[in-house]
Amino acid sequence: MAKTYKQKNIKIALIQGGLGPEREISLMSAKAVAKAFDKLGYKYFNVTADQSLFQSLYSEKPDLAFLAVHGLYGEDGLVQSICEFLKIPYTGSGVLASSLCMDKIALKKLLQKYKIPLPDFEIIDNNWKAKKIFYPAVVKSSHGGSSLGTYIIKKQTELLPAIKKAKQIGTTVFIEEYIKETKEIAVSFLNGKILTPVEIKPKGKFYDYKRKYTKGESLYYTPPKLDPFVAEKIKSLAQKIFQIANVRSYARADFLVEKKQTPWLLEVNTLPGLTEQSLLPKSAKYDGIPFVELIERITQQAQTDYQF
């Protein structure tokens, strides 16, 4: 059970930045969280998620850590492990769930055992022998986030350049089936409850980094323009996935829904963005949870894997 942090004199470490490619998004999330803390009256200090993180937390001894970090070196269990070692309760999922969901291939392999609908994929490693690929296809880094390390390729000559680029994000790369004529649906989770999904319509064929974080580059529909039965099916599927992955406090699952109304899971984010453009705050707001209250609820759920 998470400890309840109701007193306003608690000392919060707002961890932000990081060494990975999503550093700028982390800083945007942290800025929004800081504004909410100011309104809530919480005492906090900023901590950069770099090589000095352990020493900073050890010296300051916060009551809890709010993890406003994303992607590699933040969302992948490393920061969570430092907090566990120092016995500092932290927001979001635990070490194993964070690491599992950050590794798209590991998560896919687990979810396959539970018959979760996933686009076909093939791992590109040293033993990989090129098979016949149907284009268009998607090349992804297993540890990419915010669409970084993701490339839609339309012909064979684009394959190797895309693989090389994806490996700059992470050494493990895979090719994924490109599902045509789809709607992208984001399903968020907050304190055990599935929130109203959001449909994303980018102004372009691909919901890439630019269209995720540039205002006006995408349209959002809450609730999504789906058959109500399909919408409930996606919410139920998301709940099952969150349970399998053992996420806690808050998270987001991203799906594609094709013409036959089949929902295909793309990925699970254990520390989804908390910016003005972010999807979880949009769902929360629609469900009657304003941003400041959302941040308070997430803060209240701070805990460790090991209970002391």
Side-chain angles (χ1 to χ4, degrees):
M1 293 292 291
K3 183 178 178 181
T4 300
Y5 299 96
K6 290 185 177 179
Q7 63 273 29
K8 299 297 183 181
N9 60 348
I10 59 173
K11 185 179 181 181
I12 303 174
L14 179 54
I15 302 180
Q16 58 191 279
L19 303 173
E22 294 180 71
R23 180 177 182 277
E24 292 304 316
I25 306 307
S26 169
L27 295 176
M28 292 165 62
S29 287
K31 184 177 180 180
V33 172
K35 287 182 179 179
F37 280 168
D38 289 337
K39 292 179 180 178
L40 290 164
Y42 283 132
K43 297 178 181 178
Y44 67 95
F45 62 98
N46 296 322
V47 184
T48 301
D50 58 15
Q51 293 91 337
S52 65
L53 177 61
F54 182 96
Q55 187 58 47
S56 297
L57 293 176
Y58 179 78
S59 300
E60 292 288 346
K61 295 180 173 53
D63 294 297
L64 67 91
F66 193 105
L67 308 190
V69 284
H70 308 304
L72 294 172
Y73 301 103
E75 197 169 347
D76 53 3
L78 295 181
V79 172
Q80 292 81 356
S81 296
I82 290 173
C83 291
E84 289 285 346
F85 192 84
L86 294 173
K87 301 182 182 179
I88 299 170
Y90 54 93
T91 56
S93 292
V95 176
L96 180 57
S98 299
S99 180
L100 171 66
C101 293
M102 189 67 207
D103 188 330
K104 294 181 179 67
I105 292 174
L107 182 64
K108 284 175 178 288
K109 288 181 176 179
L110 174 62
L111 295 179
Q112 280 179 327
K113 299 180 184 297
Y114 291 88
K115 312 287 185 193
I116 301 297
L118 304 165
D120 288 339
F121 69 99
E122 186 177 346
I123 302 169
I124 300 172
D125 55 22
N126 293 332
N127 299 317
W128 182 65
K129 295 180 180 179
K131 298 179 181 179
K132 186 175 181 180
I133 298 171
F134 295 94
Y135 296 95
V138 186
V139 174
K140 290 184 177 181
S141 166
S142 185
H143 292 81
S146 294
S147 297
L148 296 170
T150 298
Y151 304 94
I152 297 175
I153 56 174
K154 298 179 180 179
K155 52 188 177 181
Q156 187 175 358
T157 55
E158 298 175 348
L159 176 59
L160 289 180
I163 292 172
K164 290 179 181 179
K165 289 179 183 178
K167 283 190 174 183
Q168 293 175 1
I169 300 295
T171 56
T172 307
V173 175
F174 62 98
I175 298 178
E176 189 174 70
E177 174 190 8
Y178 179 81
I179 301 175
K180 300 178 182 179
E181 299 182 41
T182 59
K183 291 184 176 183
E184 185 158 354
I185 309 295
V187 184
S188 295
F189 163 97
L190 179 65
N191 300 351
K193 180 183 177 182
I194 297 295
L195 302 178
T196 300
V198 178
E199 179 182 342
I200 305 140
K201 189 173 182 180
K203 293 183 178 178
K205 293 184 178 180
F206 178 33
Y207 191 46
D208 58 9
Y209 187 93
K210 176 184 177 182
R211 291 178 177 86
K212 285 183 177 180
Y213 300 111
T214 305
K215 195 170 184 178
E217 286 292 329
S218 296
L219 300 175
Y220 302 94
Y221 303 104
T222 312
K225 296 180 179 181
L226 291 174
D227 179 286
F229 175 80
V230 177
E232 288 303 313
K233 181 180 179 180
I234 295 174
K235 289 169 67 175
S236 177
L237 185 60
Q239 184 73 275
K240 181 178 180 180
I241 291 166
F242 292 140
Q243 289 173 349
I244 293 169
N246 197 30
V247 302
R248 66 173 182 237
S249 184
Y250 72 113
R252 194 189 77 235
D254 298 334
F255 295 87
L256 292 178
V257 180
E258 39 98 293
K259 289 182 72 173
K260 294 181 180 179
Q261 306 297 300
T262 300
W264 302 88
L265 177 72
L266 291 179
E267 63 180 4
V268 174
N269 297 274
T270 53
L271 289 178
L274 296 172
T275 71
E276 182 183 348
Q277 294 295 110
S278 298
L279 299 165
L280 184 145
K282 291 181 187 297
S283 289
K285 183 178 180 180
Y286 182 85
D287 288 348
I289 306 170
F291 187 79
V292 172
E293 183 181 340
L294 171 65
I295 298 306
E296 183 168 33
R297 290 194 188 191
I298 291 172
T299 304
Q300 296 291 320
Q301 288 291 310
Q303 65 180 92
T304 55
D305 283 336
Y306 299 138
Q307 303 302 309
F308 301 98

